[in-house]
């Protein structure tokens, strides 16, 4: 069953990749460039996307059967589910607005998320006692669903900014838009670098002291640029860490972030060197026919839909489960804090949309910042800061 689950996920990945190219064809076909019209390319693209989504649902169901619990209990499972829900949210939004350009950007982001997830351990493991609750299904799935719909707001905002921002001269706008492009390229770099070392079966084991003062072991799958607290490298033929981290920092996961950033810098530098253009400038011609007003509406409506779902999953259901599991509604755990920050930000987003002048470009930048907060929570808080949610 576990092997069948992996096959379903692989099939979904291939279908999403195919659908991305088909959406590209839909954009090039001028007969379907106008919103609310579907050309043959667009119809084929959304059909393939739905097939991929069905395959990923097959992955989710078969892995649930194999594991005996909802597959959202670790970073691989949650991130994969997040990618699946992002595609589901895109399908819903697409049938409302019939905008092929949305698929050309949403599906690659979903592909990056799934590829990012696949770099973490994929083995099925039993639930730790803290997760053995029905609230696991309720809290995590609802929070991921809300985040995925909010992510569509980001997708629409990126398309808006790529078309709107003038790339003929350097400015603050081009700089920050290029920072976003660099982040996406860094994710690709992470997949490449992790896959490379996985192919060589690289392992470096450390004896270290955790934050409770207990001796423990930790295995690195990338050369350790930073090492664990009071860590001693067991193998003699592996790279010695340049610096040791305090026990509160997860050195293994921080090391992954550092490698990802480095790989992103190299890959981004190669793209700029070869093309002599900003990444945003490279993709600007693709979105020349999209309607900016429609993109602004999609971005806003996505937040309107996603915000209440996120509120239920990430705050209300989370606090109920925290009371059941830890006998308190709130404990200022890093994940709890960032969930609150995310909620406050999108609450402010909706408030500002009601104010004059906070539509269009300003709203698009807010959507980008909101997504950055969510990704910071998903990557940095999960990978670096130790807390009660470290098992995620």
């Amino acid at each position: 069953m576990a092997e069948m689950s992996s096959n379903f996920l692989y099939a979904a990945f291939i279908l999403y990749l195919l659908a991305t190219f088909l959406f590209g064809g839909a954009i090039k076909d001028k007969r379907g460039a106008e919103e609310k019209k579907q050309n043959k390319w667009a119809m084929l693209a959304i059909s393939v996307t739905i097939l991929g989504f069905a395959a990923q649902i097959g992955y989710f169901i078969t892995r649930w059967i194999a594991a005996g619990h909802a597959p959202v209990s670790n970073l691989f499972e949650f991130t994969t589910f997040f990618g699946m829900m992002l595609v589901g949210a895109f399908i819903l939004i697409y049938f409302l607005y019939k905008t092929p350009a949305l698929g050309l950007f949403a599906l690659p982001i979903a592909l990056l998320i799934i590829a990012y997830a696949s770099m973490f351990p994929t083995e099925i493991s039993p639930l730790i006692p803290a997760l053995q609750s029905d609230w696991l299904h309720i809290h995590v799935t609802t929070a991921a669903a809300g985040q995925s719909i909010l992510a569509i707001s980001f997708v629409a905002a990126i398309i808006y900014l790529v078309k709107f921002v003038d790339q003929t001269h350097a400015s603050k706008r081009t700089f920050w838009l290029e920072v976003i492009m660099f982040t996406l390229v860094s994710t690709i770099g992470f997949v490449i670098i992790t896959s490379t070392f996985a192919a060589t079966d690289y392992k470096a084991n450390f004896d270290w002291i955790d934050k409770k003062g207990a001796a423990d072991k930790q295995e690195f799958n990338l050369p350790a640029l930073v090492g664990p607290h009071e860590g001693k490298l067991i193998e003699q033929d592996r790279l010695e860490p340049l610096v040791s981290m305090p026990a509160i920092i997860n050195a293994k996961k921080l090391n992954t972030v550092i490698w990802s950033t480095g790989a992103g810098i190299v890959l981004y530098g190669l793209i700029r060197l070869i093309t002599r253009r900003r990444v945003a400038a490279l993709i600007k011609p693709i979105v020349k026919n999209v309607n900016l007003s429609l993109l602004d509406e999609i971005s806003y409506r996505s937040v309107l839909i996603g915000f209440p779902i996120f509120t239920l999953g990430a705050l209300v259901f989370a606090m109920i489960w925290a009371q059941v599991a830890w006998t308190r509604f709130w404990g200022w755990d890093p994940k709890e804090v960032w969930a609150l920050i995310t909620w406050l930000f999108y609450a402010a987003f909706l408030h500002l949309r009601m104010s004059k002048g906070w539509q269009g470009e300003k709203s698009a930048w807010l959507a980008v910042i909101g997504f950055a907060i969510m990704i910071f929570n998903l990557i940095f808080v999960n990978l670096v800061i130790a807390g009660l949610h470290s098992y995620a």
Side-chain angles (χ1 to χ4, degrees), residues 316-328:
V316 178
F317 294 155
M319 288 189 290
I320 294 173
W321 189 12
Q323 174 63 29
V324 172
W326 299 316
T327 67
R328 90 293 187 275

Side-chain angles (χ1 to χ4, degrees), residues 18 21 44 66 103 120 152 175 180 190 209 219 234 280 294 296 310 314 339 353 386:
L18 174 60
F21 287 104
L44 183 58
F120 296 100
I152 296 298
F175 171 79
I180 299 167
F190 165 78
I209 306 299
E219 181 183 275
I234 297 175
L294 182 63
D296 183 54
F310 178 80
R353 280 289 306 206

Side-chain angles (χ1 to χ4, degrees), residues 174-213:
T174 58
F175 171 79
W176 287 111
L177 186 55
E178 207 60 15
V179 168
I180 299 167
M181 297 300 145
F182 169 75
T183 303
L184 296 176
V185 170
S186 293
T187 306
I188 299 173
F190 165 78
V191 174
I192 293 172
I193 200 73
T194 310
S195 299
T196 301
F197 281 101
T200 64
D201 195 29
Y202 183 92
K203 293 178 182 179
N205 294 282
F206 287 86
D207 291 321
W208 71 294
I209 306 299
D210 65 19
K211 63 181 180 179
K212 296 180 180 179

Side-chain angles (χ1 to χ4, degrees), residues 10 21 48 55-56 91 110 119 144 147-148 153 156-157 194 196 221 240 272 275-276 284 299 302 318 342 356 363:
Y10 181 74
F21 287 104
V48 172
Q56 200 167 358
I91 293 172
M119 296 301 103
Q147 287 180 316
S148 67
S153 177
T194 310
T196 301
N221 301 111
E240 286 281 354
R272 291 295 301 267
T275 65
R276 302 288 182 174
K284 188 180 181 72
S299 182
S302 298
T342 305
K356 185 178 180 180
S363 179

Side-chain angles (χ1 to χ4, degrees), residues 154-384:
F154 163 76
V155 174
I158 283 295
I159 302 172
Y160 187 102
L161 292 172
V162 167
K163 179 175 181 179
F164 183 84
V165 173
D166 183 8
Q167 293 289 338
T168 58
H169 65 277
S171 65
K172 289 182 179 179
R173 292 171 174 174
T174 58
F175 171 79
W176 287 111
L177 186 55
E178 207 60 15
V179 168
I180 299 167
M181 297 300 145
F182 169 75
T183 303
L184 296 176
V185 170
S186 293
T187 306
I188 299 173
F190 165 78
V191 174
I192 293 172
I193 200 73
T194 310
S195 299
T196 301
F197 281 101
T200 64
D201 195 29
Y202 183 92
K203 293 178 182 179
N205 294 282
F206 287 86
D207 291 321
W208 71 294
I209 306 299
D210 65 19
K211 63 181 180 179
K212 296 180 180 179
D216 201 354
K217 294 184 180 294
Q218 193 169 54
E219 181 183 275
F220 282 56
N221 301 111
L222 294 171
L225 300 177
V226 296
H229 178 58
E230 297 184 18
K232 293 182 179 179
L233 183 61
I234 297 175
E235 292 87 356
Q236 299 299 317
D237 60 342
R238 296 292 188 256
L239 177 69
E240 286 281 354
L242 301 177
V243 63
S244 294
M245 292 292 102
I248 194 174
I249 300 296
N250 189 316
K252 176 182 177 180
K253 295 177 179 179
L254 176 59
N255 189 62
T256 301
V257 173
I258 294 172
W259 270 102
S260 301
T261 304
I265 291 172
V266 172
L267 184 57
Y268 177 81
L270 287 174
I271 294 173
R272 291 295 301 267
L273 183 64
I274 294 170
T275 65
R276 302 288 182 174
R277 300 174 68 188
R278 302 183 189 93
V279 176
L282 287 174
I283 61 179
K284 188 180 181 72
I286 298 174
V287 300
K288 63 181 180 180
N289 292 322
V290 297
N291 186 313
L292 290 178
S293 297
L294 182 63
L295 290 173
D296 183 54
E297 180 183 346
I298 293 173
S299 182
Y300 175 50
R301 298 284 181 184
S302 298
V303 176
L304 278 179
I305 298 170
F307 180 71
I309 298 174
F310 178 80
T311 301
L312 279 175
L315 292 181
V316 178
F317 294 155
M319 288 189 290
I320 294 173
W321 189 12
Q323 174 63 29
V324 172
W326 299 316
T327 67
R328 90 293 187 275
F329 287 104
W330 191 264
W332 297 104
D333 182 69
K335 289 281 286 184
E336 294 174 343
V337 171
W338 277 97
L340 177 61
I341 291 172
T342 305
W343 184 86
L344 289 172
F345 179 86
Y346 280 105
F349 175 100
L350 292 175
H351 175 74
L352 289 171
R353 280 289 306 206
M354 299 177 187
S355 304
K356 185 178 180 180
W358 281 93
Q359 289 77 33
E361 185 190 6
K362 289 183 178 180
S363 179
W365 283 114
L366 286 177
V368 168
I369 295 170
F371 186 74
I373 292 172
M374 288 196 297
I375 293 301
F376 182 86
N377 191 5
L378 175 66
I379 297 177
F380 191 85
V381 176
N382 269 327
L383 295 188
V384 178

